[in-house]
């Protein structure tokens, strides 16, 4: 009987905490320390940077291999010609400092843009939480329906901003008459932010300034499924209007501001609360401009071109300076040096616009959405009136004391006074008791 009972009893699942979970020999924190050197070396063939700079690496190493083979042949057959083929290493030693400064300045400027982009999205997350708290506290004055509309607009805001500063791969282009529209399709134009180095836009703006004629290019039409994010978050009344807007995240800010502006004055809702809420929306509007500034403005092209040209010329002449001492080992050494320098340059290019993959915007958008509407059921308990909230807890505590007293009297009889009078404990003792019950 005991064996059958043990066999039928369910086996408790094994719980692995996030902190203890491992992926090979690297923790999930994705932060590398000196102890991860073995993993870094083993994962080098799968490096993203190596894959992006493989073309210049192949070219430089091939050039170094040709130089080393030709020098070896000339050294055996024509020693004087081989001596004239090499160059001294002093020029490369003098230029290496300048090359390093060019790469460091570019990488530092790109990293500052990366940090600024992350701060902007931190401001979006914090402002969304503050705004959610504000409208929840004044739900009685704002109205439940209006509060729900503002929350849904606020949850859709980060997704619309992400689609504006990052190419939207979820839209399907409308081609000819092959598209069959149904109740779930939504037609819209691409909400791509304009860049300051677009030649077509610059030509159009210059012609309008010179002859005064406005010229608008034909824009392609796309369609999306309104059941997907962020379209299913938008209120039905605002879905079509938002889709037709040129700057959809800005339209959402304007719509939320109008919703707050139409709340009438009440004893607990005055111009002070209204202006405080609108100030939060203004802060989110400023975040749109900050993201657009980082996305639109690139590192000056003259600086980028000069850095890349200087690095390329320096690496082309490097085999001629090393072949005399290294011989056939020149190609591997040049490959390593080119990998280091081109890798630094490519890292600066990758984080120059952090919204194109360096920052995980999808994770940030989902986090904001969960803070705004995902945890609404449990978060609503924090906005209960304190008198009702603590009165409910007191009733539950009195009922628990009565039940404990009754069970004690039935089991041990008699002694039910001081042992179970927990309702008269000090605040500190009561908090400890509550903490133990919560843990249990």
């Amino acid at each position: 009987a005991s064996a059958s009972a043990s066999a039928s009893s369910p086996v408790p699942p094994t719980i692995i905490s996030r902190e203890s979970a491992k992926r090979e020999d690297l923790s999930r924190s994705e932060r590398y320390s000196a102890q991860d050197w073995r993993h870094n070396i083993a994962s080098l063939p799968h490096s993203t940077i190596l894959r992006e700079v493989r073309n210049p690496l192949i070219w430089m190493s091939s050039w170094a291999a040709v130089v080393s083979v030709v020098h070896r042949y000339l050294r055996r057959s024509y020693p004087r010609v081989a001596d004239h083929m090499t160059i001294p290493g002093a020029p490369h030693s003098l230029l290496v400092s300048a090359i390093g400064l060019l790469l460091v300045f570019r990488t530092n400027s790109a990293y500052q843009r990366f940090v600024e982009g992350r701060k902007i999205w931190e401001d979006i997350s914090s402002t969304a939480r503050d705004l959610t708290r504000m409208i929840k506290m004044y739900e009685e004055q704002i109205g439940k329906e209006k509060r729900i509309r503002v929350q849904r607009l606020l949850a859709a805001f980060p997704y619309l901003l992400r689609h504006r500063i990052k190419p939207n791969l979820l839209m399907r282009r409308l081609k000819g008459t092959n598209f069959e529209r149904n109740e779930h399709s939504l037609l819209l134009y691409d909400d791509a932010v304009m860049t300051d180095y677009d030649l077509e836009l610059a030509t159009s703006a210059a012609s309008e300034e010179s002859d005064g004629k406005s010229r608008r290019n034909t824009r392609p039409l796309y369609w999306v499924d309104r059941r997907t994010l962020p379209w299913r978050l938008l209120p039905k009344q605002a879905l079509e209007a938002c889709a037709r807007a040129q700057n959809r995240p800005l339209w959402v800010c304007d719509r939320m501001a109008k919703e707050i502006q139409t709340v009438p004055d009440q004893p607990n809702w005055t111009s002070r609360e209204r202006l405080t809420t609108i100030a939060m929306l203004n802060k989110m509007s400023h975040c749109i401009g900050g993201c657009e500034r980082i996305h639109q403005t690139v590192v000056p092209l003259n600086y980028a071109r000069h850095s890349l040209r200087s690095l390329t010329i320096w690496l082309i002449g490097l085999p001629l300076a090393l072949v005399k001492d290294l011989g056939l080992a020149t190609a591997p050494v040049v490959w390593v040096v080119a990998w280091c320098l081109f890798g630094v340059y490519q890292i600066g290019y990758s984080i120059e616009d952090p919204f194109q993959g360096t920052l995980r915007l999808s994770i940030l958008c989902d986090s904001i959405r969960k803070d705004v509407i995902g945890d609404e059921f449990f978060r609503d308990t924090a906005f209960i009136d304190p008198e009702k909230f603590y009165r409910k807890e007191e009733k539950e505590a009195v009922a628990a004391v009565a039940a404990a007293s009754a069970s004690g009297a039935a089991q041990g009889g008699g002694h039910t006074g001081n042992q179970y009078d927990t309702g008269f404990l000090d605040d500190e003792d009561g908090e400890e008791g509550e903490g133990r019950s919560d843990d249990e």
Side-chain angles (χ1 to χ4, degrees):
S2 61
S4 61
S6 61
S8 61
S9 60
V11 178
T14 302
I15 299 177
I16 302 177
S17 63
R18 184 176 178 85
E19 290 77 9
S20 61
K22 297 286 185 180
R23 181 173 61 86
E24 298 178 354
D25 60 336
L26 183 66
S27 61
R28 285 190 175 183
S29 61
E30 297 292 346
R31 295 183 179 181
Y32 296 93
S33 63
Q35 298 179 354
D36 301 320
W37 66 271
R38 187 181 304 171
H39 174 81
N40 276 321
I41 297 300
S43 61
L44 179 60
H46 308 286
S47 172
T48 304
I49 298 297
L50 179 61
R51 184 169 58 252
E52 293 175 351
V53 301
R54 61 184 177 184
N55 289 334
L57 291 184
I58 293 174
W59 197 94
M60 291 298 174
S61 58
S62 300
W63 163 247
V66 170
V67 170
S68 60
V69 171
V70 171
H71 180 267
R72 184 181 180 85
Y73 170 77
L74 294 176
R75 191 175 181 180
R76 292 180 177 178
S77 303
Y78 309 96
R80 293 183 179 180
V81 178
D83 294 338
H84 288 85
M85 179 181 175
T86 61
I87 61 176
H92 282 76
S93 301
L94 295 175
L95 291 175
V96 68
S97 300
I99 298 295
L101 289 177
L102 289 174
L103 295 177
V104 167
F105 287 158
R106 174 176 171 78
T107 307
N108 285 344
S109 62
Y111 183 74
Q112 290 176 2
R113 293 160 62 94
F114 169 80
V115 173
E116 185 179 0
R118 185 60 183 91
K119 288 181 179 179
I120 291 175
W121 278 86
E122 181 185 359
D123 291 340
I124 294 175
S125 178
S126 301
T127 306
R129 295 170 183 172
D130 296 341
L131 184 57
T132 304
R133 184 186 305 112
M134 188 74 176
I135 62 178
K136 287 294 295 183
M137 288 192 301
Y138 292 96
E139 180 181 2
E140 184 177 353
Q141 290 75 22
I142 297 176
K144 185 176 181 180
E145 295 182 0
K146 188 182 291 292
R147 188 266 302 171
I148 293 176
R149 289 198 301 268
V150 174
Q151 274 189 276
R152 295 177 70 88
L153 289 170
L154 183 59
F157 173 82
Y159 292 96
L160 296 175
L161 178 58
R162 171 195 169 197
H163 293 169
R164 180 168 176 78
I165 60 179
K166 185 178 182 179
N168 187 3
L169 303 178
L170 302 179
M171 295 193 305
R172 300 173 179 86
R173 187 167 181 175
L174 190 62
K175 298 180 180 179
T177 58
N178 297 329
F179 170 71
E180 296 181 1
R181 187 173 184 180
N182 52 38
E183 66 276 8
H184 301 301
S185 60
L186 179 65
L187 298 179
L188 44 78
Y189 292 104
D190 188 14
D191 185 22
V193 61
M194 296 182 295
T195 57
D196 57 358
Y197 55 89
D198 194 321
L199 182 60
E200 183 179 359
L201 294 176
T203 305
S204 177
S207 63
E208 186 173 354
E209 292 175 359
S210 59
D211 54 22
K213 296 181 180 179
S214 178
R215 183 179 64 182
R216 297 186 61 184
N217 298 327
T218 303
R219 294 185 299 167
L221 191 62
Y222 297 86
W223 69 275
V224 294
D225 191 346
R226 65 180 65 199
R227 294 173 295 181
T228 59
L229 288 173
W231 313 109
R232 64 183 175 88
L233 296 176
L234 294 171
K236 295 182 179 180
Q237 303 84 353
L239 185 58
E240 296 289 343
C242 181
R244 291 193 297 267
Q246 177 66 31
N247 191 333
R248 286 188 274 270
L250 182 60
W251 186 94
V252 168
C253 290
D254 296 340
R255 185 66 245 172
M256 289 189 291
K258 187 60 179 178
E259 293 278 2
I260 297 300
Q261 188 266 336
T262 55
V263 178
D265 289 341
Q266 303 175 43
N268 293 331
W269 181 267
T270 61
S271 298
R272 180 179 61 183
E273 288 77 16
R274 185 181 296 107
L275 292 177
T276 301
T277 308
I278 294 178
M280 297 180 185
L281 297 175
N282 292 339
K283 189 175 181 180
M284 301 192 71
S285 180
H286 296 165
C287 293
I288 299 176
C291 291
E292 290 176 346
R293 174 170 50 82
I294 294 177
H295 177 66
Q296 291 176 332
T297 308
V298 300
V299 173
L301 296 181
N302 293 334
Y303 184 87
R305 290 169 181 167
H306 182 71
S307 301
L308 188 56
R309 289 166 181 167
S310 301
L311 177 59
T312 304
I313 294 174
W314 188 86
L315 287 174
I316 289 176
L318 185 61
L320 301 177
L322 299 179
V323 68
K324 183 178 180 179
D325 298 327
L326 299 180
L328 295 179
T330 303
V333 173
V334 170
W335 187 94
V336 173
V337 175
W339 169 69
C340 294
L341 298 181
F342 276 121
V344 172
Y345 185 90
Q346 187 65 24
I347 290 173
Y349 171 80
S350 301
I351 64 178
E352 178 182 337
D353 188 356
F355 307 132
Q356 306 309 316
T358 308
L359 288 178
R360 303 295 179 87
L361 297 184
S362 58
I363 298 177
L364 298 177
C365 292
D366 290 342
S367 176
I368 296 173
R369 175 175 59 89
K370 293 176 182 179
D371 290 338
V372 174
I373 62 175
D375 196 25
E376 184 178 4
F377 178 78
F378 297 100
R379 192 178 179 184
D380 286 347
T381 58
F383 298 97
I384 301 177
D385 188 5
E387 296 183 358
K388 298 179 181 179
F389 184 78
Y390 292 112
R391 190 181 300 124
K392 179 181 179 181
E393 287 189 346
E394 291 176 359
K395 291 181 180 180
E396 294 177 354
V398 171
V401 170
S405 300
S407 61
Q411 295 178 2
H415 187 68
T416 61
N418 297 330
Q419 185 177 359
Y420 297 102
D421 287 345
T422 58
F424 300 94
L425 295 176
D426 295 336
D427 293 340
E428 297 180 355
D429 297 337
E431 292 177 358
E432 294 178 358
E434 292 178 358
R436 286 194 298 271
S437 62
D438 291 341
D439 293 338
E440 293 173 356

